Amino acid sequence: MGVWGTGIFEDDTACDVRGHYKDCLGEGRPGPKATRWILNEYEDLLADSEEAGVIWLALAAVQWKHGRLEAETLEQALQVIDSGSDLERWESGSEDHAARKAVLEELREQITSPQPAEKQVSRRVLAECRLKRGDLLAYRLGSGIRIIFRVIDRFTDHGGTYPVCEILDWTGDGVPAKADLKELRIRRSSRPDFKHTITEFMICRLNENSPRIQKLDFRLKPAQTGAGATVILWEGLDKFLAKWFLLE
């Protein structure tokens, strides 16, 4: 499981649940049938107490947002919050533990309040990816400093195709020469308070035409295979880089 923050949807499993539920609605299935599909699809993970909590919280959040919160989902989500089981994943007394607790209380307030009217969901438009393995992207951070992404794989699922990337261990104003880039190692996440280290991630809905991205005119062989990448959204890329790689 990939977790990159304390938000309900800063978690690979939670993002998958949200995406699959919305896809079911977009295909014309009514809420209860979409829920049954989710519960069947995630049957194995629901047997894991840690993952089950993530699933119920995500399902409650997405159902409420779309005006379809079901009684069982609400009951299960409140049980996760009240039992404190979800907080066991976070180091007691840490900043993240406190932040996650606040997130859960906010979710409780939301899902116990009157939900909005049912929202129609359009069928998902498949994501496209023109990038190839070995492609290099210079990405400009909010500070103006640039970093270099290298595409190490492409992943395709029901939502389309997305690039899986690694970061070269370099920051600067311009773009290094090819010879210099060849000598660079990959950058690893800088979060000693987390058990796992992130070195590769998949960017969903990447805007390849963003003015903050410059595609270099050559490729370099990746250092990794792309197995086990953390999933992030294009809109959350800067937050992810700042939190995990101290890049901002």
Side-chain angles (χ1 to χ4, degrees):
M1 179 182 66
V3 180
W4 64 93
T6 56
I8 296 298
F9 294 108
E10 293 181 323
D11 180 294
D12 288 352
T13 300
C15 286
D16 287 344
V17 169
R18 177 177 60 182
H20 287 147
Y21 182 80
K22 291 174 64 176
D23 284 342
C24 287
L25 297 182
E27 292 167 359
R29 303 185 199 185
K33 286 190 176 181
T35 300
R36 284 199 294 274
W37 188 93
I38 292 292
L39 298 183
N40 289 333
E41 182 73 9
Y42 290 86
E43 183 178 4
D44 291 342
L45 290 182
L46 284 166
D48 182 308
S49 58
E50 184 175 298
E51 294 279 21
V54 173
I55 292 169
W56 285 115
L57 294 174
L59 192 55
V62 70
Q63 284 184 354
W64 185 93
K65 182 176 180 180
H66 291 84
R68 294 172 172 82
L69 180 58
E70 300 171 24
E72 181 186 4
T73 304
L74 174 61
E75 180 182 351
Q76 292 285 354
L78 291 177
Q79 182 178 348
V80 172
I81 296 172
D82 292 339
S83 68
S85 60
D86 180 79
L87 291 174
E88 294 176 3
R89 301 187 300 146
W90 310 86
E91 183 181 353
S92 180
S94 68
E95 180 180 333
D96 284 331
H97 185 279
R100 181 66 173 186
K101 185 175 182 180
V103 165
L104 295 179
E105 289 304 316
E106 183 178 347
L107 178 63
R108 168 198 281 281
E109 182 176 351
Q110 180 188 70
I111 63 179
T112 55
S113 66
Q115 60 183 316
E118 284 194 8
K119 297 179 181 178
Q120 297 301 312
V121 178
S122 301
R123 184 179 292 271
R124 186 197 295 240
V125 177
L126 295 182
E128 297 182 357
C129 178
R130 300 189 300 270
L131 300 171
K132 306 296 183 183
R133 178 176 166 83
D135 277 345
L136 297 163
L137 305 175
Y139 178 72
R140 177 168 48 81
L141 300 169
S143 63
I145 297 298
R146 291 186 174 188
I147 60 176
I148 305 293
F149 294 148
R150 178 164 53 197
V151 179
I152 61 178
D153 200 359
R154 288 157 45 99
F155 178 81
T156 300
D157 64 6
H158 63 283
T161 302
Y162 318 99
V164 180
C165 302
E166 59 191 5
I167 305 176
L168 299 184
D169 195 13
W170 173 90
T171 60
D173 296 324
V175 177
K178 181 177 181 179
D180 295 329
L181 287 173
K182 284 183 176 180
E183 302 300 320
L184 295 176
R185 297 183 178 181
I186 61 170
R187 191 179 186 106
R188 307 173 70 84
S189 60
S190 303
R191 289 295 301 272
D193 54 324
F194 272 71
K195 295 180 180 179
H196 65 287
T197 300
I198 296 176
T199 58
E200 53 189 58
F201 47 90
M202 182 172 71
I203 308 176
C204 295
R205 299 203 296 263
L206 171 67
N207 181 4
E208 297 180 28
N209 298 317
S210 169
R212 298 176 63 182
I213 289 180
Q214 175 188 350
K215 183 174 178 293
L216 306 190
D217 59 2
F218 56 87
R219 295 174 179 158
L220 290 177
K221 182 179 179 180
Q224 301 176 92
T225 62
T230 295
V231 179
I232 61 172
L233 299 177
W234 166 250
E235 304 88 82
L237 179 58
D238 283 357
K239 182 178 179 181
F240 169 77
L241 294 172
K243 185 177 181 67
W244 284 93
F245 292 89
L246 306 181
L247 294 169
E248 54 188 325

